[in-house]
Each structure stands twice: as structure tokens, then as C-alpha cells.
Amino acid sequence: MPIALWALTLGAFGIGTTEFVIMGILPEVAADLGVSIPTAGHLISGYALGVVIGAPLLAVAGSRLPRKTFLLALLGLFAGANALSAVAPGHEALLATRVLAGLPHGAFLGIGSVVAADMVAGHRRGQAVARVLLGLTLANVAGVPLGSLMGQELGWRWAFAGVAVIGAVAAVVLRSALPEQPRPAPVPVRREVGVFARPQVLLAFAVVVFGFGGSFAAYSYISPVLTGVTGYGSTGVALMLGLYGVGTTVGAVAGGRLADAAPMPTLYLFTGALAASLGLFAFTAGSPVLAPIAVLLIGATGFVAVTSLQTTILEKAKEAPGLAAAGIHSAFNIANALGALLGGAAISAGLGLTSPALVGAALSAVGLGLALLLGLSERRAAPARRTAVAPVPEEFADEVPEPVAA
């Protein structure tokens, strides 16, 4: 694989790390800035807001720039925003830099995947795209645990400084290794946007927001739960975050195969399994033995469902692949913001540190209901599609009237 492809992977690794590392250092950030844990949780929602805004807007704006120039600009924005996070003087300033850091997230992953596919032979395009997205998976396995451990032992600012260095290194390597890219052809934006008015596409995005929002409700506050309820220290929290990453990796691999075989049944089964895993974590968080099992299950079941959802959305919006990919990232980060806000509200209401897991179970249960509704609409639409393309039997061919001119 070309060196430039590894630079894209490194960029995705940094993006995945900065998105989730805050969850491992939330108590340290809250204590240092003098705010409550639910208030510090707004930093998670702030990053998600940046992704929601930046993914579609920058994807459209970037269509007018050479792809290499655009990718380097995105990495520069990413590295600079994380460097500002490392020196933010207070909660409000840190919140602003988190929003700024989220802006390039979706556009970099979307355009980076397109560039990666163009760098290799046709039969290796899928592997190239998977290599870029591997950076996100590795971030959950290694980047988030190591960044959390660094933030807990050396200070939370070092975690963001480390991510800024990753972004800068990725930009330097990409600038030297990636050949100049042609300016992409103009995209009829209005036609693509029209795809998102389809009820099935909107339903699929709603499943993302509620189904995966349940996972974020619990994961956003996993560090205070593991320290305050389970009784783990900083090393134990880092190991549990790594275990969650292992679960997401297993889920992503298994989800690809299951989604190819039966996307909708896979979506039903594992959205329901995610709700059950979140409920399990709420009742086993006090056990150092059972809590890791629940954390592993949350990561695995959630990412199996995610893969099926991505397949479904891209199929329903196949006329608009660029905006569909950006829309998926926006939907996931709306889920991120929704889960963090509702989980923090439950803690603020005095329901306890494990209450976000119960909130998450409820959100995922709503997601399951929406998934079933999506499947029902699919079954109702299928007969109409078959009727529209049904051939005329030969024995009745002579009885079909000639078309009448308008």
C-alpha cells in the first residue's frame, strides 16, 4: 500500500482518538476547570455539533478544491484546533475549540476514502477504503486508552497536545507522499439533497440517532462510572476503554459479513442486543468481573448494528454517495450529542452514575422500534417495485394495447 494511504490512516487515527479520548479524562477535565461532570459532558456534545455542521458543509465546499489541497487544509484545521484545546484557559474556551476540532471530521474521512480508492488498482479499492477506516478502529483499541492514561497521569492537556502532533505528522507525510489530485467534477448539489427527503432514508438516519445514541449515553460517562462505581484506577479505566475498542473491532468485522448476508435482520437483532447490553451494564457496573463483559458487549453489538445501518443508508441514497457518507457522520454525531446530553441530565437529576446506561437502553429500544418500522416500509414498498417491473406473460402479449401518444 502507498505511504500516502498510511498517512490517511494516521489522520483517521487522530480523529478517532480526539473524538473519544475526552470520555476517558472527563473527571480530570471537570475537576481542573471547576465544573460538574455533566457540564464537562458538553465538551462531548460540542465536538459532535462540529461534526454535524462541518461534514455536509465542508464536503460541498471541498468539491471545488483539488483533493490534496483540501485534505491538507482539513488536517491543518484539525491539528490547530487540538493544539488550542491543549491550552484552553477555561471551560467555554475548551468548548469552542472542541466544536472547531469536530468540523473536519466527516469531510476528511469521506474525501480521504475517495482518494484512497483512487490510489490503488480496481480490485483493491475496498481494501484501501478499509485501511483508512482502520484508523478509527485502532483509535478505540489503542489511541483512546493511551490518551486517557496520559491525560490521567500527566494532565488532560497532554492528551490533546498528543493528538495535535498526530495531525501535524499526518499532514507532513501526506504532503510529501500524496501525488497531486485532479480537481473533482462539479456535483449537482440540489439533486443530491433531494434524496434525503425520502421517508426510508430519514427513517434510517433516525435509527442511527436513537439506536446508537444509546451507546453514547453510557460511553460518554464510562470513566466516572468505572472509577466511582466499579472501583477501578486510571490503569483499569484505560484497559476498559481498550476492551471497548476490541468490542468495536469485532463488531465491525462481523457486522460487514452479517450485513452482506441479511442487513435488516442483523439490524433488528443487534439493535435489540445493544439495548440489552446497556441494561446489563447498569446492573453490573459495581462488579469488577461482570462490568468488563458488559463493556465488551456494548462495543460489539453497537458496531454490528452500525455496519448494517451504513449499508442500508448508502443503498437508499445511492444517487448521492458523497452527501450520504457525510450525512452518516452527521447522524452518528447527533447520536453522540443526544446521548451525552440525556445521560448528563440523568446524573444531574440525582439518578446516579449508572443512570446514563439505563437512558441508553431506552434510546436503543426506541431505535429498535424505528428499525422495525423501516423494515415494514421496505416490505410494503417491495410489491410496488415488483409490479412496476413485472414482465407481461407471452400468452397475453397480443392483448397489450399500443401506447397512445400524449
Side-chain angles (χ1 to χ4, degrees):
M1 290 285 182
I3 295 177
L5 183 55
W6 285 107
L8 292 172
T9 305
L10 182 62
F13 176 83
I15 285 174
T17 300
T18 201
E19 180 178 16
F20 295 119
V21 74
I22 184 65
M23 298 165 184
I25 57 176
L26 204 60
E28 287 74 19
V29 174
D32 186 54
L33 299 182
V35 297
S36 67
I37 286 179
T39 299
H42 295 167
L43 300 171
I44 299 170
S45 302
Y47 183 92
L49 177 63
V51 180
V52 172
I53 296 172
L57 292 183
L58 292 181
V60 172
S63 63
R64 302 178 182 180
L65 294 173
R67 286 171 176 161
K68 180 177 180 178
T69 302
F70 186 48
L71 286 171
L72 291 174
L74 292 173
L75 283 175
L77 175 59
F78 170 77
N82 278 281
L84 290 174
S85 294
V87 297
H91 178 261
E92 292 77 11
L94 182 57
L95 180 60
T97 61
R98 288 289 290 169
V99 174
L100 192 64
L103 292 176
H105 179 122
F108 179 84
L109 294 175
I111 302 301
S113 296
V114 173
V115 171
D118 290 343
M119 274 195 283
V120 297
H123 67 283
R124 302 180 69 187
R125 289 168 66 88
Q127 297 177 47
V129 173
R131 183 64 58 83
V132 175
L133 298 181
L134 176 65
L136 293 178
T137 304
L138 291 177
N140 278 306
V141 175
V144 174
L146 291 177
S148 299
L149 189 61
M150 179 188 297
Q152 292 161 2
E153 297 297 329
L154 302 178
W156 62 268
R157 297 180 186 276
W158 285 98
F160 291 117
V163 172
V165 171
I166 291 173
V169 171
V172 170
V173 176
L174 196 66
R175 185 177 185 278
S176 61
L178 181 65
E180 292 298 328
Q181 301 290 304
R183 188 185 300 271
V187 178
V189 177
R190 291 183 180 179
R191 187 183 304 172
E192 290 194 353
V193 171
V195 172
F196 294 91
R198 297 175 183 172
Q200 290 179 334
V201 174
L202 294 176
L203 260 179
F205 279 125
V207 176
V208 174
V209 170
F210 286 93
F212 207 57
S215 179
F216 278 118
Y219 190 54
S220 296
Y221 302 97
I222 192 170
S223 182
V225 172
L226 292 175
T227 55
V229 178
T230 315
Y232 287 146
S234 58
T235 302
V237 171
L239 290 174
M240 289 304 100
L241 293 174
L243 186 62
Y244 177 85
V246 171
T248 62
T249 304
V250 172
V253 173
R257 298 178 181 178
L258 292 171
D260 286 338
M264 293 309 294
T266 299
L267 179 58
Y268 304 150
L269 176 61
F270 284 92
T271 305
L274 174 59
S277 299
L278 289 163
L280 177 66
F281 182 60
F283 292 103
T284 61
S287 170
V289 176
L290 297 179
I293 298 174
V295 169
L296 179 67
L297 289 174
I298 291 171
T301 56
F303 267 70
V304 172
V306 164
T307 306
S308 296
L309 279 168
Q310 288 177 321
T311 303
T312 301
I313 291 171
L314 291 176
E315 174 61 28
K316 302 301 177 191
K318 56 188 175 184
E319 298 92 343
L323 279 182
I328 290 171
H329 288 291
S330 293
F332 281 136
N333 281 274
I334 292 173
N336 189 344
L338 178 67
L341 286 174
L342 294 181
I347 295 175
S348 296
L351 300 179
L353 289 175
T354 59
S355 60
L358 292 175
V359 171
L363 286 174
S364 293
V366 173
L368 175 59
L370 292 170
L372 293 170
L373 186 59
L374 175 62
L376 180 61
S377 68
E378 272 284 286
R379 289 192 292 272
R380 287 179 175 176
R385 288 196 297 266
R386 288 196 296 269
T387 301
V389 299
V392 178
E394 292 184 4
E395 60 266 32
F396 299 113
D398 294 337
E399 300 178 18
V400 177
E402 292 293 327
V404 179

